[in-house]
Amino acid sequence: MEGNVLEQLSLFVIMSILLILLPGPDTAIATKNTIAGGRAGGMKTVLGTLTALMIHTCAAVLGLSALIVKSAFLFSILKYAGACYLIYLGLKSLWSLKNKDTFQDGKVLNHEAKRVNCFRQGFLTNLLNPKVAVFFLTFLPQFLEPGSNTFFQFMIMGLTYTLLTLIWFIVYIYLIHQLNAFMKKPAVQKWMEGITGTVLIGFGIKLALERK
């Protein structure tokens, strides 16, 4: 029994790492805000993402995620809200390219204001994504040990997934920050704003067209 639990946990960790490494809206937001606000901006974004992950974990434990997934109306509301928010962030990034004063000597204006928004962007991007709720309801139960406390197992797996996400983003943000001199060039920042803006719009459209 003990060996089976360890085997299941090991498989869960491996699968979680592979899923976390797949780039998604969270990665795009973290990249954008790390370039704009440095490590502080990136970490605030990640803290927002982690907070949303914990809410999704609690929702899965309490059965709220199941309610959202089963209700076409609630699922659609969350889906379109998330899609609109991603498209809004993408358009905002593209719009900043039209402002020639946004980038000066490799520094982004309103630096502190951008940092303040980083947590909110990471939080809402993850929280308003119904696919995360679906993920928690379809992925985590596969590793539940029959006969054991479901609540405890869900919380452990949710915390483990959140911790692995934190570790990955710390490494990712550090790597981006190491390229700081290159990334701070106005031309590179404009290029990255354009790329991330387009990617976020793409994710938003994909989410909006996602079938339940």
Side-chain angles (χ1 to χ4, degrees), residues 48-210:
T49 297
L50 298 179
T51 302
L53 280 177
M54 288 310 303
I55 291 177
H56 277 294
T57 299
C58 293
V61 171
L62 297 174
L64 296 178
S65 292
L67 180 63
I68 292 172
V69 172
K70 289 180 180 178
S71 170
F73 178 68
L74 292 177
F75 186 90
S76 295
I77 288 178
L78 197 60
K79 180 181 73 171
Y80 289 123
C84 289
Y85 186 66
L86 288 175
I87 293 172
Y88 160 74
L89 291 179
L91 291 174
K92 190 177 178 182
S93 292
L94 295 180
W95 181 258
S96 69
L97 298 177
K98 298 185 68 175
N99 186 357
K100 295 181 180 179
D101 297 326
T102 300
F103 304 91
Q104 292 183 351
D105 300 323
K107 294 181 180 179
V108 182
L109 296 181
N110 299 322
H111 198 63
E112 290 303 318
K114 283 182 175 289
R115 286 188 179 184
V116 171
N117 292 330
C118 290
F119 178 89
R120 184 172 69 241
Q121 289 178 5
F123 178 73
L124 292 178
T125 295
N126 192 282
L127 186 69
L128 296 177
N129 190 347
K131 294 174 69 175
V132 179
V134 173
F135 161 77
F136 272 88
L137 284 178
T138 57
F139 180 68
L140 299 188
Q142 298 179 52
F143 302 93
L144 290 174
E145 185 67 25
S148 299
N149 189 306
T150 303
F151 176 86
F152 180 72
Q153 290 184 76
F154 258 120
M155 290 304 296
I156 289 296
M157 286 190 286
L159 288 171
T160 301
Y161 187 86
T162 302
L163 178 60
L164 292 172
T165 302
L166 172 61
I167 293 172
W168 160 242
F169 273 115
I170 287 176
V171 174
Y172 182 71
I173 289 170
Y174 174 78
L175 291 175
I176 294 178
H177 190 70
Q178 288 301 104
L179 299 173
N180 189 53
F182 173 72
M183 292 293 193
K184 288 300 182 183
K185 292 181 179 179
V188 175
Q189 287 195 346
K190 287 183 179 180
W191 180 76
M192 288 301 297
E193 284 283 347
I195 292 294
T196 53
T198 303
V199 168
L200 287 171
I201 292 174
F203 277 128
I205 294 174
K206 181 182 178 183
L207 180 59
L209 298 178
E210 191 79 26

Side-chain angles (χ1 to χ4, degrees), residues 26-44:
D26 294 340
T27 305
I29 290 292
T31 302
K32 175 181 178 298
N33 290 342
T34 301
I35 293 171
R39 277 183 294 189
M43 285 309 301
K44 283 190 176 183

